Amino acid sequence: MAVYSSQPRLARYVNLLLELLIVAAIVTGLTSWAIGDRWSGWLVLAHAVIGLSMLLLAPAKMRGSVAAGFRRGRATRWVSAVFGVLVLVTVTLGVLHATGLWFGVGPWTALWTHSLFGFLLIPLFVWHAVARPVRPRAADVDRRAVLQTGVVAGAAAALYATQELLTAVTGPAGGERRGTGSREIGSHDPARMPAVIWFNDRRPDVTDAMSWSLSVGGTPITIESLWARARPVDATLDCTGGWWSEQAWDAVALSDLLTDVQGRSVRVASRTGYDRYFGLGDLGKLHLAVGYGGHPLRPSHGAPVRLIVPGRRGPWWVKWVTSVAPSDRPTWLQPPLPLT
Ligand SMILES: Nc1nc2c(c(=O)[nH]1)N[C@H]1C(S)=C(S)[C@@H](COP(=O)(O)O)O[C@H]1N2
Ligand SMILES: [Mo]
């Protein structure tokens, strides 16, 4: 492994910084995505600056260890190349999403594809970190390194500010952007609101809403009785695919239907098997919606009844709900992506 420690200082520095940036990008990306609205504005800002820093370092990386790696000609150089290209494509998709220059094709929105590639990057990153370890020397972490890092971060922040200013002025995307980075579509116009379903899920055939079977805390509840109790609740569905839409949902608070819950969480399950577990502290936010703007939900939007969770991202908004039940499962014991 002498080769690595004999790398020039600048190449070592670039490699180390890139590695830290990728970890930071994955962490900020995943958390901004998982937590909902509260801190996501700051996380999205950090995520953007991290991504742009990686772009700025790309030329130095190409001149340094990429060129050297190709000269060495190991068979696995192609895996490294795929990794590098995937990083560049992922960051580029992030920029396309943020600027609205390209929204994507159909369900393959720029942001969704960005996240998918982000997930694919994780194993490649781990492989790369093990197979091509960066061997920093104690002397590398000096004033010069701190200064260089400051310059890279400052340049990336300036680039981001310019990018945001240009998009605000020229507005290629249209649609107001939230702190989460998502853009507005079809608010108070459900016909224009997109419908999103995971690849492995399928919309159930609902022929008769009135015979839908829904049980809340073990008690059967009819759609009719939900309509009778429903009140308008303004809430914003913010899909991780990069769009948001506000509707006046006709909805009933779960806290009105479910009292005295015993257990560690509440499981909300779809007829399709898709489910999410919520902490008991979240119960006040959860609502069962049967319509929007006084009209019943469309089949693709979860008819006859779906969950709405103000302040949480789209994946939590379970559609075609058949059961709400207390559970002993802690909420952390669920996949970040609902796999049905
Ligand atoms: N049963 C089920 N519910 C689901 C999904 C799904 O695939 N299956 N997708 C979720 C995601 S990712 C989002 S963004 C919203 C989309 O709601 P919409 O189709 O009404 O826009 O539903 C959520 N609820
Ligand atoms: Mo979504």
Side-chain angles (χ1 to χ4, degrees), residues 196 198 237-241 243 313-315:
V196 173
W198 291 101
L237 171 53
D238 189 339
C239 175
T240 43
W243 57 269
R313 300 300 290 274

Side-chain angles (χ1 to χ4, degrees), residues 194-198 201 239 243 270 274 301 306 314 317 319-320:
V196 173
I197 186 160
W198 291 101
D201 208 358
C239 175
W243 57 269
S270 168
Y274 185 106
H301 288 152
R306 79 173 306 164
W317 296 44
K319 301 195 274 192
W320 312 292

Side-chain angles (χ1 to χ4, degrees), residues 74-248:
R74 279 168 301 202
T76 52
R77 69 188 182 282
W78 295 109
V79 187
S80 298
V82 167
F83 173 57
V85 169
L86 202 57
V87 170
L88 279 177
V89 171
T90 306
V91 176
T92 307
L93 283 168
V95 174
L96 289 176
H97 163 75
T99 53
L101 283 172
W102 187 65
F103 189 77
V105 212
W108 296 90
T109 62
L111 186 63
W112 163 240
T113 320
H114 168 86
S115 326
L116 184 70
F117 287 178
F119 275 107
L120 294 178
L121 273 175
I122 296 174
L124 280 173
F125 171 70
V126 172
W127 168 80
H128 186 268
V130 172
R132 311 271 192 272
V134 186
R135 296 278 158 81
R137 300 175 190 168
D140 284 352
V141 191
D142 55 6
R143 270 189 47 204
R144 184 153 60 130
V146 172
L147 213 72
Q148 282 171 330
T149 308
V151 169
V152 173
L159 195 58
Y160 185 62
T162 316
Q163 175 193 303
E164 286 292 278
L165 195 75
L166 283 179
T167 20
V169 174
T170 58
E176 190 191 329
R177 225 173 142 217
R178 291 183 87 215
T180 57
S182 296
R183 298 181 178 284
E184 191 275 332
I185 305 181
S187 288
H188 299 283
D189 184 4
R192 283 181 48 234
M193 183 172 90
V196 173
I197 186 160
W198 291 101
F199 298 114
N200 56 350
D201 208 358
R202 202 159 297 284
R203 168 158 68 86
D205 253 330
V206 183
T207 41
D208 178 15
M210 293 312 158
S211 62
W212 185 258
S213 108
L214 165 68
S215 123
V216 177
T219 311
I221 293 193
T222 63
I223 302 301
E224 248 167 333
S225 72
L226 285 178
W227 266 113
R229 303 171 72 161
R231 299 281 167 274
V233 178
D234 282 325
T236 299
L237 171 53
D238 189 339
C239 175
T240 43
W243 57 269
W244 65 270
S245 191
E246 187 191 80
Q247 306 296 339

